[in-house]
Every structure is written in structure tokens, then in C-alpha cells.
Amino acid sequence: MQPTPRFVKLVITTGDPAGIGPEVSLAAAKNFLSEQPDVQITLLGDTSLFKDSSGKNLSTPERLMIESSSLGSPMVPGVLNPANAQYVLNLLDRASEACLNGDFDAMVTAPVQKSLINSAGIPFTGHTEYLAQRCNTKHVVMMLCAPLPAGFLGIKSQRDLRVALVSTHLPLKEVSASLSYELLLETIQIVSQDLHTKFGITSPVIRVAGLNPHAGESGYLGREEIEMITPAIEAAKQQGIRVSGPYPGDTMFDAAALEHVDAFIAMYHDQGLAPFKFVTFGGGVNVTLGLPIIRTSVDHGTALDIAGKDIADSGSMLEALRLAYTLALNKRNIS
């Protein structure tokens, strides 16, 4: 008699109802369930978002559930409505609480519109910061991941490109003031720890960027490298972490490094994500490190211009589900 499979339970917050979140969530969930027989997926969202043009409920596989949460106001595809801002946050609250309680093994988030939530009078800088607060976690790290195929830029075998950020959604003029030795050291520690415990990498290799051009040019172009970044790297080395830097931002991602570096740490959003998105072509996944739960996400926005037209590419959401599943299995095997 075959043992009953222990399902990996994933929950998807389907994002802003006016964007492509609901449609890519449903499409990717169906695809992933056809790949993995030991998965159950729950979509969080208003049931009206999962109906065809005639108003009939869309067919769903046996292991796909829809848990309804009511919209604040009727939805028009591509048209933002501040009355639905709280609805969006309700989905995040429900998923994070359920993951903390052990009801789900991981949560996957569809895109939200930050401006919509703020226009409704609710301060919101992004999923990463919001979930950190919900999980009562002081410091989390945003990291983007994507597989690079063998042969890309001459690499001999498939490698995962991972780019983590010290600062996230900040105006550029505020980045330098936000940095500190403590923040940098904690970021390196979190990246190293989660690469080990969640990604299953025994002894991860990490590269850290500088902040200024040429990594400060020995202080002539800025002193952040001398006063904060290098001391944090050296302290991490003393703790046994395999980390190096600071590297100039324009040379850190050289092709040879892709063969052996497990994660790159950038100082600010565009320093890390501009090269990442250039080479991953929308196939990346956002994962939040440092949380007590597993959270992955797409690496694109709400795409309001194509919402409701059934032409959105669900590839990034599918990759986010694949990574959430892998991380959940790793956590299960380690614990």
C-alpha cells in the first residue's frame, strides 16, 4: 500500500485586482500542479476575479483551492481603485499569518501597486518591508534569483544568479545615509545563513559591491567603502563567511564570477537589479531572506496596460512557485 503523500502547501496572494496578478496566479498554479503531484495551492482573492467573460467560474484542478476575500469595490481591469487598497493588504495579512501558524509551507505574492496603497492613506513601501513588520522581524533582505543556462556568457553549466540588496525602495539621495556597519554585516550574515538553511548551499560564496564608482577609488570618490563596507566584510570573514569585496558595481558581475559565486550583494536597488533584469529577461523570482516564513514573488509589476486581455506571461509566477516549493522541501529536510 502506497503511503499518502505529504503535500507541500503553497498560498498565493493574487495582488492588485486591476493588474495581471489574478490571471498569472491562476495560470501558473495550473501549470505547476501539472508538474508536481505533491503540491496543493490556495489562491487568495475575490472569486469574481476567477470567472470567464460570461461570469462562469473558471475550472480548477483538484489540488487548487480558491479562498475568497471580498473586494472593497468592483474591479475594472487596468484601472486602479484606492477602495481596494485594504483588500490587497488583507490578502498579505491572511497569507503571512497562515504561514506563521504552519497552515501553509510558503507564500507567493503577485504584484501590487505601491502608489495605490499610499493614495488610500496607508504608508506602504513594498512587500518586503510590510512582511517584515507583519512577522515582527527587524531586518530582512530582498534577493532576486534566476537560472542562467549553460553557455550563457561562456558558463559551463547552469547556474543560479542571485542578487541581494542592502537597501531596497529608497530614493537614491537617501541610500548613503541609510548604510551602516551594522546593517551591512547583518545583511551579509542573513544572506549566508539563508543560502545555507533555505537553499541548501553548504558554504556559500558571496560578493559585495561598493557604493561609489570604482568602489570609492581609495577614498577619492567617497569613504563609505573604507568606513563601513570593508570593515563589515572583514568582520564577516572572521565569522567564517566566504565573502569578498567591495567590488566596483560596474565590474562585480563579471562572467567568470558567475561560475562560482552563489550570491551578489548590491548596495541599492538599481545597482543590483538593473544587471539582473537585463540578463534574466523577466524570468526572475523575488525572495525575502531573514523572515521566519518562506516568501517568493514575481519580479515584475502589475502591467495595468495588458490586464484583463489574457496575454500576460505567467512565467515569472511559475518560477516563483517552483522556488517556493524547493525552499519548502529544503526546510522540511533540514528540520
Side-chain angles (χ1 to χ4, degrees):
M1 184 176 179
Q2 292 291 329
T4 302
R6 181 184 172 192
F7 287 113
V8 175
K9 297 181 180 181
L10 306 178
V11 60
I12 303 177
T13 60
T14 54
D16 194 292
I20 63 172
E23 58 189 279
V24 299
S25 297
L26 180 61
K30 288 181 175 181
N31 286 338
F32 190 59
L33 288 171
S34 69
E35 293 180 7
Q36 297 293 347
D38 61 341
V39 173
Q40 288 181 344
I41 298 176
T42 299
L43 297 178
L44 301 185
D46 193 288
T47 53
S48 66
L49 304 175
F50 308 105
K51 295 181 178 180
D52 62 23
S53 57
S54 68
K56 295 181 179 179
N57 290 327
L58 295 171
S59 61
T60 58
E62 180 181 353
R63 289 175 285 117
L64 178 60
M65 284 70 71
I66 296 176
E67 182 180 311
S68 185
S69 179
S70 298
L71 289 167
S73 179
M75 183 277 301
V76 177
V79 181
L80 294 174
N81 186 344
N84 285 321
Q86 189 58 54
Y87 158 85
V88 172
L89 297 182
N90 289 344
L91 304 185
L92 296 178
D93 292 348
R94 165 62 182 141
S96 57
E97 181 179 359
C99 286
L100 286 169
N101 291 337
D103 299 327
F104 297 107
D105 296 299
M107 64 181 288
V108 182
T109 58
V112 301
Q113 193 80 13
K114 300 179 187 69
S115 59
L116 172 88
I117 299 172
N118 282 284
S119 67
I122 305 170
F124 183 84
T125 55
H127 278 109
T128 303
E129 298 83 357
Y130 187 80
L131 291 174
Q133 183 178 19
R134 286 286 303 172
C135 296
N136 196 28
T137 303
K138 179 182 176 183
H139 186 182
V140 296
V141 176
M142 176 180 174
M143 185 170 79
L144 274 288
C145 315
L148 299 178
F152 180 80
L153 293 179
I155 60 176
K156 297 175 183 177
S157 58
Q158 178 179 310
R159 289 285 296 175
D160 288 330
L161 174 62
R162 305 182 186 92
V163 179
L165 305 177
V166 177
S167 63
T168 52
H169 303 107
L170 286 178
L172 191 57
K173 67 180 180 179
E174 297 178 12
V175 170
S176 177
S178 75
L179 301 180
S180 68
Y181 166 83
E182 292 78 14
L183 175 69
L184 292 158
L185 179 57
E186 286 180 7
T187 300
I188 296 169
Q189 291 169 332
I190 289 170
V191 172
S192 179
Q193 175 70 13
D194 275 20
L195 287 177
H196 174 61
T197 59
K198 292 181 179 177
F199 287 78
I201 302 171
T202 303
S203 182
V205 176
I206 299 169
R207 272 193 172 195
V208 178
L211 174 67
N212 299 293
H214 303 177
E217 193 81 37
S218 299
Y220 289 103
L221 296 176
R223 296 191 56 82
E224 287 88 352
E225 288 79 8
I226 294 172
E227 296 174 357
M228 294 182 289
I229 302 174
T230 298
I233 292 170
E234 293 304 314
K237 287 180 180 178
Q238 292 298 314
Q239 298 172 4
I241 297 175
R242 299 175 66 190
V243 59
S244 60
Y247 295 89
D250 61 348
T251 60
M252 182 170 73
F253 297 93
D254 67 87
L258 298 177
E259 293 277 12
H260 65 275
V261 175
D262 296 302
F264 300 84
I265 298 179
M267 290 296 114
Y268 58 93
H269 188 280
D270 287 11
Q271 183 190 51
L273 299 194
F276 177 89
K277 293 190 176 183
F278 178 72
V279 301
T280 58
F281 310 109
V285 178
N286 185 346
V287 57
T288 305
L289 306 181
L291 289 175
I293 62 175
I294 295 168
R295 177 259 172 169
T296 67
S297 181
V298 297
D299 74 340
H300 58 73
T302 50
L304 297 171
D305 56 325
I306 61 171
K309 299 179 181 178
D310 200 28
I311 60 174
D313 184 353
S314 61
S316 183
M317 177 58 79
L318 179 57
E319 291 297 332
L321 287 167
R322 287 170 175 161
L323 180 58
Y325 170 79
T326 299
L327 298 182
L329 285 181
N330 288 342
K331 182 178 180 181
R332 181 181 294 178
N333 293 334
I334 291 172
S335 60

